[in-house]
Amino acid sequence: HFGVRSMRYYLNCVNCVRRDVLPDREKIRARIDNVVSWLRENQIRPAAIDVCRSVRSGYLPKEAADFVEQTFLSRLGELYELEYCNLMGD
C-alpha cells in the first residue's frame, strides 16, 4: 500500500518477505515494478532516494542484496536521471 501524507510518501508492506528464505526473483521484480509504476502514475519526482537493503539487520539475505539493488536502480533509471552517491563509504 502506497500513500502520501503531508507531502511525505510511504510504502506499507503487508506481505513481507520471510527472513530465513531467499526471496524469489520474480516476486522481487514485481514489487519493484509496483513501486516504479506508483512513482510514474503519481508523477513523483523525489529530490533524493535512499536505497537501504537491510542486509546488516538480516531483513534481506545478503545473497539477494546485489540483485535487489541493481534491479531497483535499473528500473529507477528508466524514470529519472540518476546521480549516485554512496553515503556509507562501503
Side-chain angles (χ1 to χ4, degrees):
H1 174 257
F2 302 99
V4 180
R5 267 192 221 131
S6 302
M7 295 306 295
R8 294 177 187 246
Y9 302 94
Y10 66 90
L11 166 64
N12 183 9
C13 184
V14 178
N15 298 315
C16 293
V17 177
R18 287 181 41 198
R19 294 179 186 197
D20 60 335
V21 176
L22 193 60
D24 177 67
R25 288 185 175 211
E26 288 310 309
K27 285 184 180 180
I28 292 170
R29 281 189 188 96
R31 286 183 178 200
I32 290 171
D33 287 345
N34 285 340
V35 171
V36 171
S37 293
W38 184 78
L39 292 168
R40 180 182 292 118
E41 290 165 12
N42 290 282
Q43 299 177 353
I44 296 171
R45 305 224 26 106
I49 299 171
D50 182 9
V51 179
C52 179
R53 298 160 308 229
S54 303
V55 174
R56 290 186 177 104
S57 70
Y59 179 76
L60 178 67
K62 188 174 186 165
E63 299 81 16
D66 286 338
F67 174 75
V68 170
E69 179 178 357
Q70 294 306 314
T71 304
F72 187 55
L73 292 175
S74 173
R75 294 286 288 141
L76 284 177
E78 295 172 13
L79 281 182
Y80 313 116
E81 186 174 324
L82 302 177
E83 180 180 330
Y84 299 96
C85 176
N86 186 344
L87 300 177
M88 296 300 293
D90 54 50

